[in-house]
């Protein structure tokens, strides 16, 4: 299951995480949290300590996954720190504010606007190819394509060889391989 990799990379804040994998992971975390709270309520466990335990168990993998998702679109993970910091500052000001409700509503605009922008970022498409944070998760880099199985002369092509040739063509279309590199790698795969 793809989304479980984010738990396996519990403290890994490096690399990239694709959009689909990120949202599947978040759906599992949030859905699981809601299910635990509902079951807890059904058996009479107070929600506050249960929610706190769920938060403690999932805050680091959520932050790690979000950081890697930001890397996937070419953004710094420090945006997450900014988002959390703005929320903490706004909550502290709101908690200690004694003025009118109209003023506090104006104060709430900044975290809401930042939150909307943050969700927009998390919904953006994966940045193709390598960026400063590495290659997209699951994408083979050109040196890995070279190291894949090579057909021996006279043997029929397997589905894996055809998949590799398609992968090479995809890398060429993205500009990651030149025509000469594509031809050389294809010849290697064909055993020529």
């Amino acid at each position: 299951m793809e989304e479980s990799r984010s738990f396996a990379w519990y403290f890994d804040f490096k690399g990239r995480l694709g959009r689909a994998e990120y949202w599947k992971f978040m759906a599992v975390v949030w859905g699981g949290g809601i299910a635990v709270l509902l079951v807890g309520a059904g058996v009479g466990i107070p929600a506050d300590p249960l929610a706190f335990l769920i938060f403690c168990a999932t805050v680091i993998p959520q932050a790690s996954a979000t950081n890697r998702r930001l890397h996937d679109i070419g953004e710094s993970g420090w945006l997450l720190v900014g988002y959390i910091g703005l929320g903490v500052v706004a909550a502290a000001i709101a908690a200690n504010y004694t003025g009118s409700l109209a003023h506090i509503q104006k104060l709430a605009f900044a975290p809401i606007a930042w939150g909307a922008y943050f969700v927009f970022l998390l919904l953006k498409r994966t940045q193709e190819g390598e960026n400063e944070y590495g290659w997209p998760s699951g994408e083979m880099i050109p040196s890995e394509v070279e190291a894949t199985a090579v057909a021996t002369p006279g043997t029929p092509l397997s589905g894996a060889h055809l998949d590799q040739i398609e992968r090479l063509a995809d890398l060429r279309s993205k500009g990651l391989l030149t025509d000469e590199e594509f031809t050389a790698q294809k010849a290697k795969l064909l055993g020529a």
Side-chain angles (χ1 to χ4, degrees):
M1 188 175 205
E2 270 185 0
E3 50 276 359
S4 66
R5 289 190 337 185
S6 290
F7 280 109
W9 301 331
Y10 205 86
F11 290 104
D12 187 6
F13 285 77
K14 294 184 174 112
R16 296 171 61 173
L17 185 66
R19 177 173 56 179
E21 188 175 353
Y22 173 78
W23 287 109
K24 286 177 192 174
F25 169 71
M26 288 302 184
V28 167
V29 169
W30 297 340
I34 290 169
V36 168
L37 288 173
L38 290 175
V39 168
V43 297
I45 299 173
D48 288 347
L50 205 51
F52 179 73
L53 289 174
I54 293 168
F55 171 79
C56 288
T58 63
V59 68
I60 293 173
Q62 285 185 68
S64 170
T66 302
N67 187 69
R68 285 183 280 118
R69 177 69 194 116
L70 289 169
H71 287 175
D72 194 50
I73 59 170
E75 297 290 344
S76 170
W78 286 105
L79 284 174
L80 176 60
V81 175
Y83 176 67
I84 293 169
L86 181 63
V88 168
V89 168
I93 292 171
N96 296 311
Y97 189 73
T98 58
S100 72
L101 183 61
H103 290 106
I104 203 72
Q105 288 171 338
K106 290 177 187 172
L107 177 67
F109 175 76
I112 291 170
W114 180 252
Y117 174 68
F118 201 72
V119 169
F120 165 76
L121 287 176
L122 296 173
L123 290 171
K124 282 178 74 174
R125 295 182 73 110
T126 294
Q127 195 177 52
E128 291 188 13
E130 184 178 21
N131 68 16
E132 63 184 294
Y133 304 103
W135 288 86
S137 60
E139 184 170 313
M140 288 179 16
I141 58 175
S143 62
E144 289 175 337
V145 172
E146 235 176 80
T148 57
V150 176
T152 55
T155 59
L157 285 179
S158 68
H161 290 106
L162 294 174
D163 289 342
Q164 290 300 326
I165 292 171
E166 287 176 4
R167 189 68 156 172
L168 287 167
D170 186 44
L171 290 170
R172 181 182 62 178
S173 71
K174 292 178 180 178
L176 299 173
L177 287 177
T178 65
D179 288 338
E180 295 79 25
E181 292 169 326
F182 169 77
T183 304
Q185 294 300 324
K186 181 178 165 188
K188 241 186 214 184
L189 285 170
L190 295 173

